[in-house]
Amino acid sequence: MTFRPIAIFEYIGARFTTLLEELGGIFSTFLQSAGLLFVPPFRMRLFLKQMEFVGVESSFIVLLTGAFTGMVFALQTSYAFRLFGAENLIGPSVALSLARELGPVLTGLMVTGRVGSAMAAELGTMKVTEQIDALYTMSINPVQYLITPRVLSSIIMLPMLTILFDFIGIIGSYFMAVFLLGLNGNRFISDTIYMVDLKDIYIGLLKAAVFGAIIAVVGCYKGYFAEKGAEGVGKAATQAVVISSVSILIADYFLTALLF
Amino acid sequence: MNKGISTNARVGIFVAVVLLLLFWITFKISSGTIFGRIQGYTLTAEFDNAQGLNTKTGVFIAGIKVGYVEDIKLADDKALVTLRIIPGVKIEDNAKAVIRTKGLLGEKYIEIVPGKQQAAALKPGEQIIFTESPPDLEELMNKLNGIASDVKSVTQSLNDVFGGSKGEKNMRGMFDNLNRTITHMDRLITSTNKNLNRTFDSVNTFAQALKEQGPDILTNLAQISGELHAIIAENKQSVNRTMENINQASERLDKTLANLEVITGNLKEGKGAIGKLLSDKKTEQQVTKAISGLSSMVGGTSRFRTIISYRGEYQFAYHNVKSYLDLRLQPTWDKYYLLGIVDDPGGYSSTSTTYTTVKNVNTGTVQQTETVNNNISNQLKINAEIAKRISYFTFRGGVIESSGGIGVDINAPNDKAQLSVEMFNFNEKPYPELKAMLSISILRYFLLSGGMTDIANRDVRTWFMGVGLKFDDQDLKSIFGLAASTTYVNTK
């Protein structure tokens, strides 16, 4: 084999077109599912089932991570603030960072691991076992039947999980500060309320909604277009997690820059 | 489903719980606002410098949060701050809004300091007139800079005094003086030492002489005592006779005494002329009266008040000091005699004329020149006056500054101040010397005086200011007593 310098560019070009293809596919999937939301028939049962799967069943893992995140954050900031006697800022700094960044992002990542991969695997298996083709033959729009409920329920449920995350995180930091670091509890609460604005929380929830859409759309897209075989299903699940995690972090940056 | 709860219920419960949480958090954070509708009323305040203020910065009264900063705007180079105050809190129109700093990190807040008097409460939308902005750090630094430069200029001037070639010269001069003084003292001590040495030397010589001639003196003494012994032995007879005579004399004395005893006994009983006189009551009264009269006389003398005073008067026209030393003897409060000497630097003026005769050798003519010298010299003068006091006025007359004169003193009720006018020296000058003086006594011993002398003679009159010392006989006693005791110690 002779080395052709043009091969490098061929490789880069191929990767780039694949990336654009992927992005286009993801975006078109989102648009399709969003458009089909307003087209009957409306399947409430499927929608509720997805809400249960994405929201209710994720609440435990979100509460667990939220509580420990708040606690460790309080502990870490206390080291820094103790240095110049600004311990009253522990509460506000934990609450602000939870509401603005950590709540939505960590919730999104947790849900990606749990829900995004499941969606890709589920849809991938349906694709491989030609259940999607079967739906098509039954004149059921597979996108409307499978993807729309998942995307909508994720968009609704992610902010709710974020509220849980914020709340439990602040409670965790409160326990840390008051019972382990010996700060005044009333002072902690009043300073936190004083420093945190409603805007901080609502923008965090808006971010969470965007992350929900990313998780569901990427998971469904990867599963829907999975390649043949069990290997294709596994690959789809892995790629769904990787792509949506990276997308969440990148989107978080742009959303922060745009909204704050 | 497997727990007997439907999917619907589970999702419903989840959503309800989360929405409740969201509602609670929202309510907590936006305390004072209900569903976005803001509670409370607004007030405005204008600050020169609103640095560090933010929306949501707290507004406090007596450390209690009563509101927050809602808006900060620029209005005519000043910061117009809108404050949102929670309902029910009244802020009076004499209250003052002060920007203060909380904590080490310089977090700012607004403190409302209520006015001292009761005043009308501000209505919503009104302005708090009195405000105080935080001191600008830059400004403070500038002030400190100013102080530092002041300090620097002070040290600079100190440096100019002590440092530099001039300062060095001054210092060197000072040290030279010191050195010279020490040298003088050293020399003095050395010379004294020499005298002492000489004294010791003489004592030494005397002792030496005594040592050398001591044995001779002793033998002389032994000779004398031996001779004395011989004389006594020779005159033993006559000594005995003398003793006998003495014995007879004493016997006679004894008899005399017995007689005397008889006489005194008679006297005691009033026998004889003398006895009658002595035992008479009238005599006794007369004698007592005589003695008491004597004692009152003596006592009166001892009650004489003696006042010694010294006074120096600085005469502005001549730049010299005229001194008075007076002794005042005051037998009663309204009468005194004054004796004094006056040292007058311009007291004696004389005119001397010098004639110089020069003989010209060439021409043979004699030329005579006349030089007139006006000399003013120091003169001691005498004061001797008698004074009589009638209520606040004291009239005195006699010899004033070695010439006849009269004077009058007007005393203030407490005798602390005295205005005196005196006239003397009626002959020498066109007009008699007239002197007016106001004197005030301070702290019992000191006198301050001022006035004008020789008022009538325009050419020579002058203003003067004086200070003086005044001692009572009581003070003098204590002073001399102290002096005596010190002398005693010294001689011992």
Side-chain angles (χ1 to χ4, degrees):
Chain A
M1 259 176 82
T2 51
F3 177 72
R4 293 184 301 132
I6 202 74
I8 300 166
F9 296 102
E10 275 175 359
Y11 177 74
I12 292 170
R15 295 297 298 207
F16 189 68
T17 42
T18 315
L19 181 70
L20 282 181
E21 250 175 64
E22 292 264 290
L23 281 175
I26 289 166
F27 199 64
S28 73
T29 309
F30 173 68
L31 284 181
Q32 273 186 54
S33 65
L36 288 168
L37 183 62
F38 305 102
V39 178
F42 304 112
R43 295 181 176 87
M44 272 311 278
R45 258 186 53 83
L46 284 175
F47 179 61
L48 278 171
K49 213 184 156 196
Q50 285 307 316
M51 292 241 281
E52 189 191 18
F53 176 64
V54 174
V56 180
E57 285 171 17
S58 298
S59 57
F60 178 70
I61 199 169
V62 163
L63 287 172
L64 198 69
T65 48
F68 279 101
T69 305
M71 281 162 75
V72 80
F73 209 62
L75 192 62
Q76 291 289 7
T77 49
S78 77
Y79 290 130
F81 286 135
R82 276 253 164 100
L83 289 178
F84 38 95
E87 281 136 320
N88 61 313
L89 291 178
I90 292 174
S93 59
V94 171
L96 274 177
S97 47
L98 281 176
R100 284 172 167 230
E101 296 295 336
L102 291 177
V105 171
L106 286 181
T107 307
L109 292 178
M110 293 318 293
V111 173
T112 303
R114 197 186 155 275
V115 175
S117 56
M119 282 176 180
E122 196 183 344
L123 265 69
T125 311
M126 285 173 87
K127 169 89 181 177
V128 169
T129 52
E130 296 175 349
Q131 290 180 53
I132 289 172
D133 297 335
L135 281 174
Y136 197 72
T137 49
M138 284 189 277
S139 140
I140 295 169
N141 187 339
V143 173
Q144 193 183 23
Y145 188 82
L146 294 172
I147 299 176
T148 302
R150 285 176 165 78
V151 171
L152 186 64
S153 61
S154 283
I155 288 174
I156 291 170
M157 278 300 145
L158 247 280
M160 295 209 171
L161 290 170
T162 303
I163 290 167
L164 275 183
F165 191 97
D166 290 351
F167 183 73
I168 203 76
I170 289 168
I171 285 179
S173 68
Y174 174 86
F175 273 89
M176 198 68 199
V178 174
F179 293 109
L180 285 166
L181 301 171
L183 301 182
N184 184 311
N186 287 330
R187 182 81 193 276
F188 184 93
I189 291 168
S190 65
D191 280 337
T192 305
I193 288 169
Y194 171 62
M195 293 290 281
V196 178
D197 221 334
L198 270 185
K199 195 183 154 201
D200 298 321
I201 289 173
Y202 289 143
I203 288 175
L205 298 187
L206 188 63
K207 278 178 171 183
V210 174
F211 298 159
I214 290 170
I215 291 162
V217 172
V218 170
C220 292
Y221 169 81
K222 277 289 161 191
Y224 196 80
F225 295 102
E227 282 155 36
K228 297 284 180 195
E231 196 193 337
V233 175
K235 205 176 160 190
T238 309
Q239 281 191 344
V241 171
V242 171
I243 289 172
S244 50
S245 297
V246 172
S247 305
I248 283 169
L249 292 174
I250 292 169
D252 181 51
Y253 169 75
F254 286 106
L255 286 170
T256 304
L258 275 173
L259 295 171
F260 284 105
Chain B
M1 272 181 279
N2 47 357
K3 287 178 190 171
I5 299 169
S6 68
T7 306
N8 290 10
R10 293 170 82 176
V11 172
I13 291 165
F14 178 78
V15 170
V17 168
V18 169
L19 286 180
L20 215 72
L21 270 179
L22 182 67
F23 178 76
W24 185 72
I25 290 171
T26 308
F27 186 76
K28 268 281 179 193
I29 287 174
S30 58
S31 53
T33 73
I34 292 170
F35 303 119
R37 212 182 62 148
I38 297 157
Q39 298 284 294
Y41 64 100
T42 57
L43 293 174
T44 58
E46 227 174 46
F47 292 99
D48 293 332
N49 180 6
Q51 197 181 14
L53 281 191
N54 274 317
T55 52
K56 290 217 73 175
T57 296
V59 177
F60 294 81
I61 295 177
I64 295 161
K65 193 178 174 186
V66 295
Y68 58 93
V69 173
E70 195 175 70
D71 189 28
I72 302 172
K73 268 189 292 204
L74 188 67
D76 301 331
D77 292 341
K78 287 191 173 183
L80 186 68
V81 177
T82 307
L83 310 175
R84 171 74 59 180
I85 308 295
I86 61 174
V89 173
K90 287 195 176 73
I91 291 167
E92 289 163 354
D93 61 8
N94 59 359
K96 191 176 183 185
V98 187
I99 297 176
R100 292 197 196 282
T101 307
K102 179 168 69 180
L104 203 71
L105 295 174
E107 194 186 328
K108 294 283 194 297
Y109 67 97
I110 293 179
E111 164 110 48
I112 305 234
V113 183
K116 287 210 173 87
Q117 265 96 41
Q118 205 77 29
L122 285 169
K123 290 186 192 73
E126 284 187 327
Q127 188 172 353
I128 300 170
I129 296 153
F130 307 104
T131 62
E132 196 180 301
S133 300
D136 196 13
L137 203 65
E138 203 82 359
E139 213 171 281
L140 261 173
M141 292 302 280
N142 279 342
K143 270 181 196 167
L144 278 176
N145 245 351
I147 291 165
S149 67
D150 281 354
V151 170
K152 201 180 168 190
S153 72
V154 170
T155 50
Q156 186 65 49
S157 59
L158 271 175
N159 194 28
D160 289 346
V161 171
F162 290 114
S165 58
K166 203 177 165 191
E168 204 176 312
K169 214 166 114 190
N170 286 344
M171 293 281 274
R172 192 162 291 165
M174 215 169 84
F175 282 123
D176 279 352
N177 282 343
L178 206 67
N179 208 8
R180 219 171 298 146
T181 311
I182 289 167
T183 316
H184 277 299
M185 276 175 75
D186 196 37
R187 212 175 293 154
L188 199 74
I189 289 164
T190 320
S191 64
T192 318
N193 220 2
K194 241 177 246 166
N195 286 342
L196 266 174
N197 277 346
R198 218 173 294 147
T199 313
F200 281 128
D201 281 350
S202 344
V203 171
N204 217 7
T205 327
F206 179 70
Q208 195 66 35
L210 206 65
K211 198 182 168 190
E212 279 166 8
Q213 294 164 15
D216 293 353
I217 293 167
L218 280 177
T219 37
N220 285 347
L221 270 174
Q223 250 171 15
I224 290 166
S225 69
E227 278 163 22
L228 209 65
H229 196 254
I231 290 165
I232 289 167
E234 270 173 31
N235 294 305
K236 207 172 184 177
Q237 283 273 305
S238 57
V239 169
N240 278 347
R241 220 175 293 145
T242 314
M243 287 306 283
E244 238 166 69
N245 285 347
I246 288 170
N247 228 359
Q248 280 170 6
S250 70
E251 261 168 39
R252 252 178 259 147
L253 196 68
D254 213 22
K255 263 178 215 161
T256 316
L257 280 175
N259 285 342
L260 205 66
E261 203 171 341
V262 174
I263 292 166
T264 50
N266 287 347
L267 279 176
K268 204 177 177 185
E269 282 155 32
K271 283 179 191 165
I274 294 170
K276 260 187 197 154
L277 186 71
L278 282 180
S279 57
D280 194 7
K281 290 279 176 195
K282 233 183 245 169
T283 319
E284 201 184 309
Q285 278 170 8
Q286 278 167 355
V287 169
T288 314
K289 212 186 268 176
I291 288 168
S292 74
L294 197 71
S295 77
S296 86
M297 201 178 94
V298 173
T301 321
S302 74
R303 274 204 299 273
F304 249 58
R305 272 190 80 196
T306 314
I307 297 164
I308 289 181
S309 65
Y310 165 80
R311 206 165 80 236
E313 286 175 358
Y314 178 77
Q315 296 176 323
F316 290 103
Y318 307 118
H319 305 296
N320 54 28
V321 179
K322 191 171 175 182
S323 306
Y324 297 80
L325 185 68
D326 288 332
L327 172 70
R328 191 202 280 195
L329 300 167
Q330 191 163 359
T332 56
W333 77 272
D334 61 343
K335 198 164 95 181
Y336 68 82
Y337 309 101
L338 188 139
L339 289 170
I341 45 174
V342 183
D343 176 36
D344 188 356
Y348 180 75
S349 61
S350 64
T351 313
S352 65
T353 316
T354 318
Y355 300 98
T356 320
T357 314
V358 179
K359 194 178 178 182
N360 196 313
V361 186
N362 295 339
T363 55
T365 51
V366 176
Q367 205 174 21
Q368 200 173 46
T369 52
E370 190 183 306
T371 324
V372 182
N373 294 318
N374 261 323
N375 296 318
I376 293 173
S377 60
N378 212 351
Q379 194 193 14
L380 273 183
K381 293 175 179 174
I382 292 163
N383 273 344
E385 295 171 52
I386 304 170
K388 172 81 182 166
R389 181 167 178 172
I390 300 164
S391 82
Y392 295 128
F393 300 92
T394 308
F395 300 95
R396 54 200 165 83
V399 178
I400 299 178
E401 298 195 12
S402 301
S403 75
I406 49 166
V408 94
D409 299 332
I410 304 162
N411 283 77
N414 57 2
D415 281 7
K416 291 266 183 202
Q418 178 181 285
L419 177 70
S420 44
V421 179
E422 53 188 29
M423 213 194 282
F424 55 93
N425 198 0
F426 294 90
N427 301 326
E428 274 183 34
K429 295 175 180 173
Y431 299 102
E433 264 185 55
L434 185 64
K435 180 177 177 181
M437 175 174 80
L438 181 71
S439 60
I440 301 159
S441 67
I442 311 162
L443 296 170
R444 189 170 169 203
Y445 301 118
F446 300 100
L447 280 171
L448 263 187
S449 57
M452 198 179 211
T453 56
D454 221 351
I455 298 167
N457 297 304
R458 280 175 174 276
D459 307 334
V460 291
R461 71 182 172 192
T462 174
W463 291 100
F464 67 87
M465 282 281 286
V467 278
L469 285 167
K470 188 176 76 178
F471 293 111
D472 210 333
D473 43 4
Q474 292 297 322
D475 308 322
L476 289 169
K477 251 183 223 167
S478 60
I479 289 166
F480 287 130
L482 196 73
S485 70
T486 39
T487 351
Y488 175 72
V489 169
N490 281 346
T491 45
K492 198 182 175 184

